[in-house]
């Protein structure tokens, strides 16, 4: 069990990775399409969630969360770029408003829902992390398949 200070350090490392990745996403966008970057971001989520489900050592969980942080750093700016690229200018403000509304709704309800489901005997943290990994890999596949369209 980690102390609150060490948990804070792990979360700081995850957020720092997210920030650094987001800062370099523009350079990555010069070489990869938005759909591919979104797919890579979801693959990072999937790997991080799967690793967190699989390992129990604190250092390994910290490493897995850093991978999730890289996924966050790839997804957030790249989804913004994809929305900007795909939505006509006259609808862009509405599209960003909808995107931000869903993002903040997820940020508000996600932790409560996750903790509620994880606390049940039927699901638990392990099952939820495994399900999140499967969903993330599925989302990566959808992003790759949408690229060819």
């Amino acid at each position: 069990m980690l102390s609150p200070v060490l948990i804070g350090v792990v979360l700081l490392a995850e957020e720092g990775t997210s920030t650094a990745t987001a800062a370099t996403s523009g350079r990555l966008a010069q070489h990869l399409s938005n759909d591919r970057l979104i797919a890579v971001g979801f693959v990072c989520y999937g790997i991080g969630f799967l690793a967190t489900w699989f390992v129990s050592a604190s250092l390994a969980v910290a490493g897995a969360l850093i991978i999730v942080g890289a996924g966050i750093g790839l997804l957030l700016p790249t989804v913004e770029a994809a929305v900007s690229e795909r939505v006509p200018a006259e609808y862009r403000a509405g599209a960003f408003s909808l995107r931000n509304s869903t993002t903040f709704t997820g940020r508000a309800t996600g932790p409560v829902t996750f903790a509620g489901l994880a606390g049940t005997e039927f699901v638990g943290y392990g099952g939820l992390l495994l399900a999140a990994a499967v969903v993330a890999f599925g989302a990566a596949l959808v992003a790759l398949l949408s690229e060819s369209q």
Side-chain angles (χ1 to χ4, degrees), residues 49-137:
F49 292 147
L50 191 61
T52 303
W53 169 76
F54 188 70
V55 301
S56 60
S58 299
L59 191 58
V61 170
L65 290 177
I66 287 171
I67 295 170
V68 171
I72 293 168
L74 280 174
L75 281 173
L76 291 179
T78 307
V79 167
E80 294 282 336
V83 169
S84 181
E85 180 181 274
R86 290 182 176 172
V87 176
E90 63 266 21
Y91 302 114
R92 207 167 285 148
F96 279 116
S97 175
L98 181 60
R99 184 229 181 259
N100 286 333
S101 295
T102 57
T103 297
F104 287 115
T105 299
R107 286 181 182 175
T109 61
V112 173
T113 304
F114 190 94
L117 287 171
T120 65
E121 192 174 315
F122 178 71
V123 179
Y125 280 101
L128 203 51
L129 287 167
L130 182 58
V134 169
V135 168
F137 287 130

Side-chain angles (χ1 to χ4, degrees), residues 19-34 37 73-74 77-78:
T19 301
T21 304
T24 62
S25 67
R27 283 189 234 141
L28 294 172
Q30 294 174 348
H31 305 289
L32 297 172
S33 69
N34 285 333
L37 286 173
L74 280 174
T78 307

